[in-house]
Amino acid sequence: MNGPTTYKAELIDRVIFSRWLNPPTKEDVAAILVQMEEAAQRLGTRLIYVGSVSPKSKVPDANERTILNNFLVDSRRTCIEQAWLIYEGTDLQHNLQRVIISGVLILTRTFDNYLSVAKSGDAIIKDVSAVLKKDAAPIFQLAKERGLVM
């Protein structure tokens, strides 16, 4: 399911990838949550979520952060076993944003052992493989070919 320009998402195996070009709207979150819940029900198992944020995306404002937090709470409750956020970019701003997001996760302990932040898809293949109990490299390769992970 694709939003106009905000995101694209696709299920590969039991990993749902979403690529966010900008912070999500409430409508985006509602649409992807339905997609995730339907996929989990169809497969009869919880999914693994890998969200990637374009380095060109703006930093979410307070309202957008609330939307994202609610999305994580709802997806965790209904259909997601484990989640990763790939916050792309190599400059200082992106590195600082990854550190800030990771720090907030540690301090709030809201998503302990549920959500992790990474710099790239390649950095989490081993971790996703452990949750899947099989090699996730071919899944990530397909996601790269489809523009879901850079």
Side-chain angles (χ1 to χ4, degrees):
M1 178 179 291
N2 289 334
T5 57
T6 305
Y7 79 97
K8 61 180 169 180
E10 189 173 338
L11 181 70
I12 303 173
D13 194 279
R14 72 178 185 100
V15 181
I16 188 150
F17 290 89
S18 66
R19 177 143 179 84
W20 298 92
L21 305 176
N22 285 299
T25 63
K26 269 186 163 176
E27 294 77 17
D28 293 334
V29 166
I32 195 168
L33 195 56
V34 166
Q35 182 182 5
M36 291 164 41
E37 288 171 345
E38 288 174 350
Q41 189 172 26
R42 188 174 63 249
L43 294 174
T45 187
R46 287 184 165 264
L47 306 177
I48 295 167
Y49 176 72
V50 177
S52 66
V53 179
S54 167
K56 295 178 182 162
S57 173
K58 76 177 192 71
V59 175
D61 63 26
N63 182 55
E64 291 162 338
R65 287 192 302 272
T66 299
I67 291 169
L68 287 165
N69 189 65
N70 291 341
F71 168 64
L72 287 170
V73 169
D74 291 344
S75 66
R76 181 181 198 181
R77 181 178 42 81
T78 61
C79 59
I80 299 295
E81 175 181 343
Q82 188 82 35
W84 281 269
L85 173 64
I86 300 168
Y87 202 93
E88 299 170 358
T90 56
D91 64 13
L92 179 61
Q93 175 189 348
H94 297 111
N95 288 330
L96 287 173
Q97 288 168 332
R98 276 190 291 276
V99 168
I100 290 168
I101 294 166
S102 296
V104 168
L105 291 173
I106 290 167
L107 288 174
T108 63
R109 303 179 73 88
T110 307
F111 300 109
D112 274 359
N113 303 314
Y114 174 70
L115 176 66
S116 300
V117 180
K119 185 177 183 175
S120 69
D122 292 340
I124 61 171
I125 291 173
K126 184 177 177 182
D127 295 333
V128 174
S129 296
V131 175
L132 270 177
K133 297 178 177 48
K134 67 179 182 183
D135 184 13
I139 295 168
F140 274 81
Q141 182 57 43
L142 192 54
K144 280 181 184 179
E145 290 168 10
R146 295 181 180 173
L148 296 160
V149 177
M150 296 296 141

